[in-house]
Amino acid sequence: MLESDRTFPIEADPGAVWSSLCRPERYQVVWPWLKAFDGEALAEGERWTCAVQPPLPYVVRFGLSLHTVVEGERVEADVDGDIRGWARLTVAPAPHGTDLRLASALEPATLLLRGVLRAAPPVARFGHDWVLDTGADQFRSRACPGPEPGERSTRDG
């Protein structure tokens, strides 16, 4: 089982962050390691399918069933496919702009991924953490860039 509870600071206001999350048609532009994606909207009852390529010799394919979406605040999903479990993403105001928090509990569902986790837990953790950290950096720079140099932030009043 790979459990995560990570908070990523974003220098943009929560509304801008939520607005970026509501654009699944841009996800593969924001995250180039997202090799396949099918999802229409960030809405309760939606089913998304994904294929993720970490910097390891395998692709992880999974589905997300969005069962809770509270506009501007959080998304909760069940995960199934090559991995299974649950994930929750929350958006919260913070002094720097927004805290984007991802909590999840995922376990491998295929023989290959179970073998990787059992034989080389640090490799499995590296792949998982790489996707989270790289994904947060790419989100910051491609989906929610901060103010342009010389531009005054709306957070400062």
Side-chain angles (χ1 to χ4, degrees):
M1 176 79 64
L2 288 173
E3 294 181 341
S4 293
D5 190 346
R6 313 264 300 272
T7 299
F8 302 98
I10 309 289
E11 290 185 5
D13 68 75
V17 170
W18 187 262
S19 179
S20 293
L21 291 171
C22 288
R23 299 190 61 204
E25 72 278 3
R26 292 203 20 90
Y27 285 7
Q28 287 184 275
V29 173
V30 174
W31 298 298
W33 43 259
L34 185 57
K35 296 302 178 188
F37 177 79
D38 183 22
E40 295 293 317
L42 184 64
E44 284 184 19
E46 283 288 305
R47 168 99 174 135
W48 293 356
T49 58
C50 312
V52 169
Q53 174 73 63
L56 297 167
Y58 56 79
V59 173
V60 180
R61 292 174 175 77
F62 57 94
L64 295 168
S65 297
L66 308 183
H67 60 77
T68 304
V69 177
V70 178
E71 187 174 345
E73 185 181 315
R74 78 176 184 278
V75 179
E76 298 176 7
D78 292 323
V79 181
D80 62 51
D82 291 350
I83 54 176
R84 62 180 167 231
W86 61 269
R88 179 178 56 250
L89 184 68
T90 57
V91 175
H96 53 266
T98 302
D99 277 340
L100 195 57
R101 180 179 177 196
L102 176 65
S104 65
L106 304 169
E107 64 182 354
T110 65
L111 286 174
L112 171 67
L113 295 179
R114 283 196 304 259
V116 170
L117 184 59
R118 187 173 33 257
V123 171
R125 176 52 73 179
F126 166 79
H128 178 76
D129 290 350
W130 182 90
V131 168
L132 297 183
D133 294 336
T134 302
D137 289 343
Q138 291 168 334
F139 185 78
R140 281 185 201 103
S141 66
R142 297 177 181 168
C144 272
E148 292 295 318
E151 215 178 279
R152 189 172 163 201
S153 170
T154 58
R155 290 185 314 278
D156 297 334

